[in-house]
Amino acid sequence: MEFKEFAYCSDKYQYTMGKSFMECGNAEKPAVFNLFYRKAPENNNWAVVSGTDEVLEMISNLGSMPEDFFGKFLPGDEYAEFRHYLAGMKFTGNVYAMKEGEIAFPNQPIVIVEAPLVQAQVLETPMLCIMNHQMAVATKASRVCRATDRPVSEFGSRRAHGPWAATYGAKAAIIAGCASTSNILTGVMNGVPSTGTMAHSFVTSYGSTVEGEHKAFCDYIRTHRGENLILLIDTYDTLKCGVLNAIRAFKENGIDNSYPYGYGIRLDSGDLAYLSVEVRKILDAHGFTGCKIFATNSLDEYLITDLERQGAKIDSYGVGDAIATSKAAPCFGNVYKLVQVGGEPVLKKSEDRIKLINPGFQITYRLMKDDEDGNEIYKADVTCLRGDSLAEDIEAGRTVTVKDEYDRYKYKVFEAGTYRWRALQVPAIRDGARVAPRRTLQEKKAFYNDTLHHFSPSERRLINPHYYKVDISDDLYNLKNGILSKLVEEIAKFKI
């Protein structure tokens, strides 16, 4: 499948609605949709944004297929006019989006689409497909990487849900903190090196003997001299032959602490805490104090935290399916909702309070102050209606009061001259053309790292994090409750 077809990786009801929009004269009605999530997985305080670049690419490919393509899922004369419309329907609207690597909180618009109704509507499924996958992986990778100060490598391609998921999931993992990936296509597409060592099959290809293991190690060193050298030592017995054969091979091939490219061993089974301590003792006793210990074996943030609590002597970790499939929470909860149509704010009311959405064309401001040491600390996020009174006051740097949506007696005052701000949703597409600058994978990763460290340590912790202040403006609050009150009143009077 070519990338241009991903714009049509969709649900049919997007197009059955589209036909009705067109035939009822509503297709070109101006509309605003928000993509956001309601609750972060695994009791996270927040989520990491990834996927917006692929969303912009997908949007640019709307209208790239010939008319007969649409006939394959919209057959019949009754769809002929609509098929012709779709074949020429390029995206002409505006998109505002959070940058990849941004940290987003529940109910904040991550992507805002302002476009003719039918154009915005048909983007829902492919946009959610992209964003839900990448944000699930990025948010999990962030958790795993925050469990340790040591490097974490992503190598879950074999467990990912297909090649697309493996490639773009690895990208999301790098953004959210992973030091490297084993996926070569991700590396090629993003101009970053991929990493890899050896599998057990390399060792067993020399026969299931202790000397075969030794020969495998020597041949690997010989054929990869000038690169980082990592030997897998648990094929037969980690302590009784694996680490000893690694030491033999290193010595016989002149690899020691002076080797400039780095060298080490990998543990992939057994009691990693115990084995890493014992292996460290053996390596050090033979003078290989610079030999690194790399650990894999179905790791996640909880196991890594426990290994470090036990005093494991591990220098870096490799994490596969826990990141690649966001194993503990594989389904991320982004949704895509209409919030304004024909200039009128709208919302979806639900029996479930959590599903109540914020109406209108919005923008989120992140407010920041300096601590006593002069470090910039993020203090609160507030989502406003674009151009409302609080938005104007923030942009002018006036004194503002941010109130808790669910307890209006809780509030925080930001005095004029004591805070700074930035808008989280930035222009990405204007009048159908991309305006967002293209950033490298390393630039996205650096942006995430910088953003993360502006939050307090208590907000970054994995278990029971302190909840960061996230609120809405009075104007948005009043609009939302005004629509609800009017709707409840109408429902109460409604009869047939």
Side-chain angles (χ1 to χ4, degrees):
M1 184 187 295
E2 295 183 27
F3 203 95
K4 68 179 183 178
E5 294 176 290
F6 288 156
Y8 301 100
C9 178
S10 192
D11 295 305
K12 188 170 180 178
Y13 82 159
Q14 310 292 0
Y15 290 88
T16 58
M17 287 188 288
K19 180 176 185 287
S20 298
F21 289 152
M22 186 192 75
E23 293 183 0
C24 295
N26 292 324
E28 300 299 317
K29 185 177 285 189
V32 179
F33 282 77
N34 283 357
L35 182 146
F36 62 96
Y37 72 95
R38 296 184 175 106
K39 188 176 186 298
E42 298 187 80
N43 294 315
N44 271 340
N45 196 1
W46 39 258
V48 180
V49 175
S50 182
T52 51
D53 260 4
E54 285 70 41
V55 162
L56 300 183
E57 179 72 15
M58 178 272 293
I59 291 173
S60 73
N61 284 297
L62 201 65
S64 62
M65 303 303 288
E67 199 165 328
D68 62 0
F69 168 81
F70 299 98
K72 295 175 182 178
F73 63 95
L74 299 172
D77 291 343
E78 67 272 23
Y79 280 100
E81 183 182 358
F82 188 46
R83 290 196 299 268
H84 181 72
Y85 179 89
L86 290 173
M89 189 183 77
K90 288 288 188 181
F91 184 78
T92 60
N94 304 317
V95 174
Y96 307 84
M98 293 188 184
K99 296 179 181 179
E100 292 195 301
E102 186 62 272
I103 287 174
F105 291 86
N107 299 312
Q108 295 177 337
I110 295 167
V111 181
I112 299 171
V113 177
E114 179 193 21
L117 181 57
V118 69
Q119 293 179 26
Q121 181 67 66
V122 299
L123 295 175
E124 177 179 12
T125 303
M127 187 181 297
L128 288 173
C129 178
I130 292 167
M131 296 299 295
N132 279 331
H133 167 246
Q134 291 200 35
M135 287 186 64
V137 174
T139 303
K140 185 63 172 183
S142 172
R143 287 181 60 82
V144 172
C145 293
R146 282 183 285 127
T148 178
D149 292 329
R150 295 168 174 81
V152 175
S153 296
E154 183 281 330
F155 71 106
S157 293
R158 68 189 64 194
R159 301 282 190 260
H161 300 147
W164 197 96
T167 302
Y168 290 98
K171 166 217 153 181
I174 294 289
I175 288 174
C178 285
S180 59
T181 177
S182 65
N183 189 289
I184 57 175
L185 187 55
T186 302
V188 169
M189 289 172 60
N190 292 282
V192 297
S194 49
T195 59
T197 56
M198 64 171 64
H200 292 107
S201 59
F202 183 79
V203 177
T204 58
S205 72
Y206 286 78
S208 294
T209 66
V210 172
E211 282 308 308
E213 181 181 56
H214 172 241
K215 181 67 163 58
F217 290 166
C218 287
D219 283 356
Y220 189 86
I221 293 170
R222 181 176 56 80
T223 54
H224 292 280
R225 189 178 294 275
E227 304 172 35
N228 183 251
L229 299 170
I230 305 293
L231 304 180
L232 179 60
I233 65 170
D234 72 327
T235 304
Y236 304 126
D237 189 296
T238 297
L239 299 179
K240 293 181 179 178
C241 64
V243 67
L244 302 177
N245 270 330
I247 289 170
R248 287 174 65 198
F250 285 142
K251 286 182 175 180
E252 291 168 10
N253 289 276
I255 304 299
D256 55 26
N257 291 349
S258 66
Y259 182 68
Y261 305 102
Y263 72 113
I265 57 89
R266 177 159 74 99
L267 301 173
D268 188 49
S269 61
D271 184 334
L272 296 179
Y274 168 74
L275 290 174
S276 66
V277 170
E278 295 304 308
V279 165
R280 182 78 272 160
K281 291 176 182 175
I282 295 169
L283 290 170
D284 290 353
H286 286 80
F288 291 97
T289 54
C291 183
K292 302 297 183 183
I293 298 176
F294 182 55
T296 57
N297 190 20
S298 300
L299 297 176
D300 61 16
E301 67 269 41
Y302 304 106
L303 289 171
I304 289 173
T305 297
D306 199 51
L307 284 169
E308 301 206 343
R309 181 188 62 80
Q310 295 178 65
K313 300 296 185 180
I314 296 170
D315 297 292
S316 62
Y317 299 92
V319 180
D321 53 1
I323 289 177
T325 67
S326 185
K327 193 173 182 179
C331 183
F332 196 85
N334 278 318
V335 294
Y336 184 76
K337 298 298 180 184
L338 179 66
V339 295
Q340 185 165 297
V341 61
E344 178 186 354
V346 295
L347 57 73
K348 172 187 178 292
K349 181 182 179 297
S350 174
E351 300 297 328
D352 298 326
R353 180 177 176 180
I354 195 172
K355 290 192 172 183
L356 182 63
I357 70 171
N358 293 325
F361 192 10
Q362 300 157 35
I363 185 170
T364 306
Y365 297 96
R366 181 156 289 164
L367 307 182
M368 55 206 75
K369 303 177 88 171
D370 290 338
D371 65 14
E372 59 274 13
D373 297 321
N375 300 311
E376 185 176 78
I377 303 297
Y378 296 154
K379 303 300 290 186
D381 285 6
V382 58
T383 298
C384 305
L385 295 167
R386 287 179 179 253
D388 75 11
S389 56
L390 182 58
E392 289 182 351
D393 286 344
I394 288 172
E395 294 196 10
R398 303 185 189 109
T399 297
V400 296
T401 301
V402 177
K403 297 179 183 177
D404 189 307
E405 178 181 358
Y406 302 108
D407 185 349
R408 304 307 274 178
Y409 293 101
K410 290 182 179 179
Y411 61 88
K412 185 173 181 62
V413 177
F414 291 83
E415 299 287 348
T418 67
Y419 70 93
R420 294 179 296 281
W421 62 271
R422 67 178 174 90
L424 299 189
Q425 302 87 9
V426 297
I429 293 177
R430 183 178 294 121
D431 298 330
R434 178 174 177 143
V435 295
R438 298 185 185 276
R439 298 183 300 151
T440 67
L441 183 56
Q442 293 302 330
E443 287 172 331
K444 296 171 186 177
K445 179 184 178 70
F447 176 71
Y448 161 77
N449 283 330
D450 180 68
T451 301
L452 178 65
H453 286 93
H454 287 295
F455 290 96
S456 72
S458 65
E459 291 159 352
R460 301 198 301 261
R461 66 191 178 212
L462 298 179
I463 307 298
N464 294 325
H466 177 77
Y467 278 86
Y468 177 78
K469 182 177 287 296
V470 180
D471 295 311
I472 62 175
S473 69
D474 284 350
D475 289 345
L476 177 51
Y477 178 87
N478 292 334
L479 173 66
K480 179 178 181 178
N481 285 282
I483 295 173
L484 276 175
S485 297
K486 182 173 179 292
L487 186 58
V488 168
E489 184 179 342
E490 288 184 14
I491 292 171
K493 294 178 180 178
F494 181 72
K495 292 179 181 180
I496 59 170

